[in-house]
Amino acid sequence: MDTSRLFRTTGTVVAAAALLVSGCSSSGVPSAGSAATAATSGPPSPSQSSGHGRSGEAVGRGGSDDGGAGRVDARASESGAPDEWSGANRTTTALRPLPPEVPAPLRGYYEQRLRWRPCGASGFECATLRVPLDYERPGADRDVRLSVSRKRATDGPRRLGSLLVNPGGPGGSAIGYLQAYAGIGYPGAVRARYDMVAFDPRGVGRSEPVRCLSGRETDAHVRTDQTPDDAAEERSLVRAYEKLARGCQRGSDRLLGHLSTTEAARDMDVLRAALGDRKLTYVGASYGTFLGATYAGLFPGRAGRLVLDAAMDPSLGAEQMNLEQTAGFETALTAFMADCVQRADCPLGTDGSAEATGLLGDLLHRVDARPLPTEEGRTLTESLATTAVMSAMYDEGAWPALRTGLAEAIRGDGTELLQLSDAFYERSDNGTYSNLMVANQAVNCLDLPPAFHSPADASQSLPAFRKASPLFGETLAWAALSCAYWPVEATGRPHRIEARGAAPILVVGTTRDPATPYRWARSLATQLSSARLLTYDGDGHTAYGRGSECADRTINTYLLTGRLPAPNTTCT
């Protein structure tokens, strides 16, 4: 099965990516690209973040003179939780910018020059960037070395500078995304004018990656029953969370307290200086929007053209964020079911999406009681089957593969669904995993205090999560418990991001996005003082490069000229 379209970008995962990873923000499954394939992954597993601001411009949905591809439409549909959940948390504090002057102890980092060498596919170069492990206590003996890659602008004389890209996660390899997709798949006009650049954030991919479990241990971890039916299964789930935490502490203790989004944003400013750019130009998807917005909040005077696609809302706490993302997956599932029942190969009947959802729930219940055999020699558990279904919600291009997988599972074969789950977790044929899942957990657990502190807390939340999604609610509620056992206390808190004084910023939201509900984009655009919201009325995670000529043209125009779309622009 070809999963390259499915995982075209990393999604945000809300809360703590324990057994379900993302995304993500968005983090994060796909929409911009992946490390191992031409895309990245990132569905399930709750995420965490922060932000604020109030836009000085009209923010909403609406028009564009593109011959019908864009339109003014105040009725554009939304995804996510009930209306009372929407909007930035006005009680949170705003992220404070850092002083514009580079402190003396950091000047050596800012003045370094990158030594480029050929690497990867033809035309790509790689280098190593040195940053302090702790910005409050910089020192050569405590540095972190970050991997950076670029592909030069094809029209050197008209070069605009560097365009930094991040596919989300947290935990997605931006270098993998650049070399597999962005560096060759972004519009030619953009690649002509910009050096395409990516770095793997600290703890991710090629930048001193967090290490926690072996491949065999990860196989066992992702199979853990995430919908416990009794006290014994609850204890088993808690033991899995504890084992992961111990493994990460044992394998990456030096890094665990310094993997926050704030620190990654500060790393981006060091990279900007090392690249020789006066301002940062950036495209971030899913969790990458939280990273980009944080940069703008810390360094508003150095923020250039920023595209924040599939935006996160940094003002939300972990429980609220997980709850709203759960509702987002339910919205996406409803769209999938409505499409499925109209097709001859739908394995869930043709009588309506409600019956189809019931049949899917029955299938997952049967798999919980008796895992299915697969051609891989492993069995498909309920947790893996649920991951497979959720992963396909990131991109409607994956819906045919999901229909096939469900049909085979109903016949007793879990092979296709297992392949979807493996692709989501970035599991290789040899049984090894990328560090997407564990890096996701490490960043999320540092960025926000845990959603729940005990199994009793998670259990108490079940009615609200089931209401948000009868099918996914229980799984995502228990996934949100994982940070309770993390060995390092959170350093972040919910906050607004205003970035006052920043250049105009383009925030993009997709109306039926499962991982980053549309209301989050609306909230972030309202928080950021110079933001304009572009709405993509469609399915899947993110908007850029997903087939909307209107959205692509609008984003490209902004990157090349700095011109924002008209207020209330909606693309289909």
Side-chain angles (χ1 to χ4, degrees), residues 3-340:
T3 57
S4 62
R5 174 168 167 78
L6 168 62
F7 294 135
R8 264 201 334 120
T9 68
T10 300
T12 302
V13 265
V14 207
L19 302 182
L20 284 175
V21 180
S22 158
C24 206
S25 227
S26 305
S27 227
V29 171
S31 156
S34 162
T37 65
T40 292
S41 82
S45 155
S47 168
Q48 329 191 52
S49 230
S50 14
H52 163 251
R54 176 163 286 170
S55 169
E57 310 178 88
V59 173
R61 297 154 283 167
S64 165
D65 57 350
D66 57 5
R71 68 184 187 285
V72 176
D73 184 359
R75 300 170 300 159
S77 61
E78 301 174 17
S79 69
D83 287 342
E84 62 267 23
W85 294 355
S86 65
N89 183 346
R90 301 303 176 188
T91 65
T92 58
T93 58
L95 180 65
R96 293 183 179 180
L98 291 171
E101 304 81 14
V102 176
L106 298 180
R107 286 175 189 161
Y109 298 98
Y110 274 81
E111 293 169 357
Q112 67 186 294
R113 287 295 172 259
L114 298 174
R115 298 180 179 179
W116 297 101
R117 63 191 183 280
C119 68
S122 175
F124 287 97
E125 299 175 302
C126 290
T128 300
L129 179 75
R130 187 171 52 86
V131 296
L133 175 69
D134 184 347
Y135 276 89
E136 303 308 313
R137 299 168 54 203
D141 59 329
R142 292 165 53 83
D143 286 350
V144 177
R145 284 167 172 74
L146 306 180
S147 291
V148 184
S149 184
R150 76 175 177 186
K151 191 169 188 180
R152 294 268 200 175
T154 59
D155 187 353
R158 298 200 304 150
R159 177 181 175 275
L160 293 172
S162 305
L163 173 58
L164 189 66
V165 297
N166 183 285
S173 170
I175 291 178
Y177 170 57
L178 175 74
Q179 296 185 357
Y181 174 68
I184 56 178
Y186 264 41
V190 173
R191 290 183 287 113
R193 305 294 300 280
Y194 286 103
D195 292 346
M196 300 294 296
V197 180
F199 81 106
D200 281 351
R202 50 177 66 199
V204 173
R206 308 177 196 186
S207 295
E208 299 195 22
V210 173
R211 302 188 187 280
C212 304
L213 303 176
S214 68
R216 183 169 296 183
E217 289 172 327
T218 306
D219 276 345
H221 183 76
V222 298
R223 290 172 54 85
T224 303
D225 191 334
Q226 210 161 351
T227 56
D229 300 316
D230 52 38
E233 290 188 350
E234 282 187 19
R235 290 193 295 271
S236 178
L237 182 59
V238 168
R239 284 195 298 270
Y241 291 148
E242 291 173 334
K243 182 175 181 178
L244 175 63
R246 287 194 303 270
C248 293
Q249 187 172 33
R250 190 166 52 244
S252 301
D253 187 50
R254 182 181 96 99
L255 286 173
L256 288 190
H258 296 284
L259 296 172
S260 70
T261 298
T262 295
E263 287 162 309
R266 298 190 71 170
D267 294 343
M268 285 206 300
D269 198 52
V270 175
L271 176 58
R272 173 203 56 77
L275 291 169
D277 292 322
R278 190 173 63 86
K279 291 194 173 187
L280 180 77
T281 304
Y282 175 83
V283 175
S286 196
Y287 163 79
T289 67
F290 178 38
L291 180 58
T294 299
Y295 180 90
L298 294 174
F299 307 103
R302 299 201 277 268
R305 299 169 189 174
L306 307 184
V307 177
L308 308 180
D309 184 11
M312 293 181 64
D313 181 353
S315 73
L316 300 177
E319 181 177 1
Q320 191 69 25
M321 184 173 287
N322 282 299
L323 194 58
E324 295 197 20
Q325 189 182 56
T326 299
F329 274 104
E330 182 66 20
T331 297
L333 180 67
T334 299
F336 165 73
M337 291 301 187
D339 177 82
C340 183

Side-chain angles (χ1 to χ4, degrees), residues 308-453:
L308 308 180
D309 184 11
M312 293 181 64
D313 181 353
S315 73
L316 300 177
E319 181 177 1
Q320 191 69 25
M321 184 173 287
N322 282 299
L323 194 58
E324 295 197 20
Q325 189 182 56
T326 299
F329 274 104
E330 182 66 20
T331 297
L333 180 67
T334 299
F336 165 73
M337 291 301 187
D339 177 82
C340 183
V341 296
Q342 298 179 48
R343 298 180 180 275
D345 66 341
C346 181
L348 301 173
T350 58
D351 291 340
S353 58
E355 182 191 20
T357 303
L359 292 172
L360 176 56
D362 291 343
L363 172 63
L364 294 176
H365 183 72
R366 293 197 301 273
V367 175
D368 185 26
R370 180 173 296 181
L372 298 179
T374 72
E375 295 175 3
E376 308 289 332
R378 295 175 289 145
T379 56
L380 179 79
T381 64
E382 180 197 26
S383 59
L384 294 172
T386 302
T387 298
V389 175
M390 294 183 73
S391 71
M393 298 302 101
Y394 279 77
D395 190 334
E396 65 272 28
W399 291 358
L402 178 58
R403 292 197 302 271
T404 299
L406 292 174
E408 292 194 0
I410 290 171
R411 293 194 294 268
D413 182 356
T415 302
E416 290 285 321
L417 291 184
L418 184 63
Q419 289 179 357
L420 281 171
S421 178
D422 283 352
F424 174 73
Y425 285 124
E426 295 190 354
R427 183 187 192 273
S428 300
D429 291 341
N430 64 6
T432 62
Y433 289 76
S434 78
N435 87 317
L436 167 65
M437 182 181 74
V438 292
N440 181 285
Q441 173 100 358
V443 175
N444 281 332
C445 292
L446 204 57
D447 275 350
L448 282 183
F452 307 124
H453 292 87

Side-chain angles (χ1 to χ4, degrees), residues 154 193 294 471 529 544 569:
T154 59
R193 305 294 300 280
T294 299
L471 191 73
S529 61
Y544 192 32
T569 296

